[in-house]
């Protein structure tokens, strides 16, 4: 069976987009496929200015929410990236295989570096090199598949290129991974800016439904969602992005196809009301389970400790083999 690896960066509170676009698929499908690994990639959170206490707090919360979403530590491996040294060990080898041009072409680096230059500042070196760490995250576990959204496909393509290059230069060492994408609602958009992704790192909250939002807060955000100036409820992703986003969220939460659902509404208000209730009901069991986990922090810590041990056992032989292949003496 194909081995799946995926990670979540603890740079903000997890959102409805994270759940519908990734976490639900991980729990319902991916963790049952054998050898699946899910990681809180806390080292990646250090590539930008951050509050250390907040990173620790969000790392714990992210792990708890992944469990609350349905990840079962008896079926899959859940761990924190920094608890497994093989990530950092292999990251340096990936930097030795990657080129400066490949790093500088990565979209996230280009966009963030450009914004900082306008402000008269500069970004951290780790923001330039973190795609090498992301490649190491994947390749250390010989992952076959990496479930990602459209914005992360470029990073998986780099991991593929580095795996092929390493194998050609130093002997076959790594499995060459492939990106996989979930279906409907793979990219939930901001309710206030429907052409932008609902990102957990955004500062503004009115357009973002967080997984731990109270039901009334969810309803308020959905009812205030930006729609469009056109008449009628029509599914048109390009021409009517606001309505299309609501229909896609409704389809992901309640079932059905966005195009077919559109025909059941003659007003935006009725659509928003149904979307709000569907989101509240989808998040209800997750929030209840999260409350239970927060009352038993020792359980979550134990899951992460055992997960790190299992992850280490999987990654160490591959990373040791890579060290030998590239020319380093065994200790």
């Amino acid at each position: 069976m194909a081995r799946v690896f995926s990670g979540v960066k603890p740079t903000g509170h997890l959102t409805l987009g994270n759940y519908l676009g990734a976490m639900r698929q991980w729990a319902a499908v991916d963790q049952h496929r054998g050898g699946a690994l899910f990681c809180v990639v806390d080292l990646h959170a250090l590539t930008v200015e951050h509050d250390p206490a907040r990173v620790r707090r969000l790392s714990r919360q992210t792990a708890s929410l992944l469990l609350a979403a349905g990840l079962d530590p008896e079926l899959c491996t859940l761990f924190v990236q920094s608890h497994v040294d093989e990530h950092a060990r292999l990251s340096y080898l990936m930097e030795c295989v990657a080129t400066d041009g490949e790093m500088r072409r990565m979209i996230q680096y280009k966009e963030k570096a450009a914004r900082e230059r306008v402000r008269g500042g500069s970004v951290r070196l780790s923001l330039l090199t973190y795609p090498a760490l992301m490649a190491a995250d994947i390749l250390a576990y010989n992952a076959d598949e990496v479930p990602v959204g459209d914005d992360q496909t470029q990073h998986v393509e780099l991991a593929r290129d580095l795996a092929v290059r390493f194998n050609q230069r130093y002997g076959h060492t790594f499995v060459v991974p492939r990106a996989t994408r979930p279906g409907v609602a793979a990219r939930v958009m901001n309710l206030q800016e429907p052409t932008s992704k609902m990102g957990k790192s955004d500062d503004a909250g009115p357009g973002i439904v967080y997984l731990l939002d109270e039901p009334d807060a969810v309803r308020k955000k959905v009812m205030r969602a930006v729609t469009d100036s056109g008449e009628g409820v029509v599914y048109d992703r390009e021409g009517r992005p606001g309505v299309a986003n609501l229909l896609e969220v409704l389809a992901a939460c309640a079932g059905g196809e966005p195009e077919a659902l559109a025909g059941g509404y003659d007003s935006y208000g009725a659509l928003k009301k149904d979307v709000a209730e569907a989101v509240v009901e989808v998040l209800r069991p997750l929030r209840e389970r999260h409350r239970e986990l927060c009352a038993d922090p020792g359980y979550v810590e134990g899951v992460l400790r055992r997960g790190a041990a299992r992850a280490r056992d999987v990654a160490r032989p591959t990373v040791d083999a890579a060290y030998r292949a590239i020319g380093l003496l065994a200790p």
Side-chain angles (χ1 to χ4, degrees), residues 97-235:
V97 175
T99 67
D100 175 75
E102 285 174 318
M103 297 293 101
R104 295 185 186 279
R105 282 196 297 272
M106 303 305 285
I107 293 172
Q108 292 192 28
Y109 171 77
K110 289 170 65 176
E111 291 179 348
K112 291 180 180 180
R115 286 198 296 268
E116 285 301 316
R117 282 195 295 271
V118 170
R119 298 177 184 138
S122 61
V123 296
R124 299 183 179 192
L125 178 62
S126 56
L127 185 66
L128 175 64
T129 60
Y130 96 88
L133 174 58
M134 187 170 178
D137 297 337
I138 299 165
L139 300 181
Y141 298 99
N142 286 322
D144 299 284
E145 297 182 2
V146 187
V148 292
D150 293 339
D151 58 331
Q152 291 295 326
T153 302
Q154 186 185 35
H155 293 90
V156 181
E157 289 302 316
L158 176 66
R160 288 174 55 85
D161 292 343
L162 296 182
V164 169
R165 189 177 305 154
F166 191 101
N167 290 345
Q168 290 175 341
R169 289 180 180 175
Y170 307 114
H172 185 80
T173 306
F174 300 115
V175 169
V176 180
R178 61 183 179 275
T180 59
R181 299 174 184 81
V184 69
R187 200 175 190 193
V188 178
M189 312 306 279
N190 189 299
L191 297 176
Q192 292 297 316
E193 300 176 26
T195 57
S196 300
K197 188 180 71 168
M198 186 182 286
K200 64 180 181 298
S201 300
D202 294 343
D203 294 328
I208 306 168
V209 175
Y210 296 104
L211 297 186
L212 296 179
D213 276 347
E214 293 291 336
D216 285 347
V218 173
R219 294 185 182 99
K220 183 179 293 186
K221 289 178 179 180
V222 174
M223 294 306 294
R224 293 180 176 176
V226 169
T227 50
D228 308 291
S229 57
E231 294 183 6
V233 177
V234 178
Y235 180 72

Side-chain angles (χ1 to χ4, degrees), residues 159-325:
R160 288 174 55 85
D161 292 343
L162 296 182
V164 169
R165 189 177 305 154
F166 191 101
N167 290 345
Q168 290 175 341
R169 289 180 180 175
Y170 307 114
H172 185 80
T173 306
F174 300 115
V175 169
V176 180
R178 61 183 179 275
T180 59
R181 299 174 184 81
V184 69
R187 200 175 190 193
V188 178
M189 312 306 279
N190 189 299
L191 297 176
Q192 292 297 316
E193 300 176 26
T195 57
S196 300
K197 188 180 71 168
M198 186 182 286
K200 64 180 181 298
S201 300
D202 294 343
D203 294 328
I208 306 168
V209 175
Y210 296 104
L211 297 186
L212 296 179
D213 276 347
E214 293 291 336
D216 285 347
V218 173
R219 294 185 182 99
K220 183 179 293 186
K221 289 178 179 180
V222 174
M223 294 306 294
R224 293 180 176 176
V226 169
T227 50
D228 308 291
S229 57
E231 294 183 6
V233 177
V234 178
Y235 180 72
D236 179 356
R237 166 48 68 189
E238 297 299 322
R240 310 278 293 278
V243 174
N245 187 39
L246 291 172
L247 289 166
E248 288 179 358
V249 170
L250 181 61
C253 291
E257 294 295 329
E259 295 91 341
L261 291 171
Y265 295 94
D266 55 14
S267 72
Y268 294 151
L271 172 62
K272 289 180 177 181
K273 183 177 179 180
D274 282 358
V275 172
E277 294 308 316
V279 172
V280 167
E281 289 307 309
V282 160
L283 296 184
R284 189 184 306 281
L286 182 148
R287 295 177 64 253
E288 290 174 353
R289 177 57 177 151
H290 181 261
R291 265 196 305 272
E292 295 172 359
L293 291 168
C294 288
D296 187 8
Y299 171 76
V300 177
E301 291 171 4
V303 167
L304 295 177
R305 187 167 54 251
R306 292 187 295 273
R310 288 203 301 268
R312 201 174 297 119
D313 288 343
V314 174
R316 184 165 293 167
T318 300
V319 177
D320 285 349
Y323 268 57
R324 292 192 300 269

Side-chain angles (χ1 to χ4, degrees), residues 58-77:
L58 287 175
S59 295
R60 294 190 191 97
Q61 184 186 89
T62 298
S64 297
L65 283 169
L66 289 172
L67 290 169
L71 289 189
D72 183 346
E74 298 300 318
L75 296 175
C76 66
T77 299

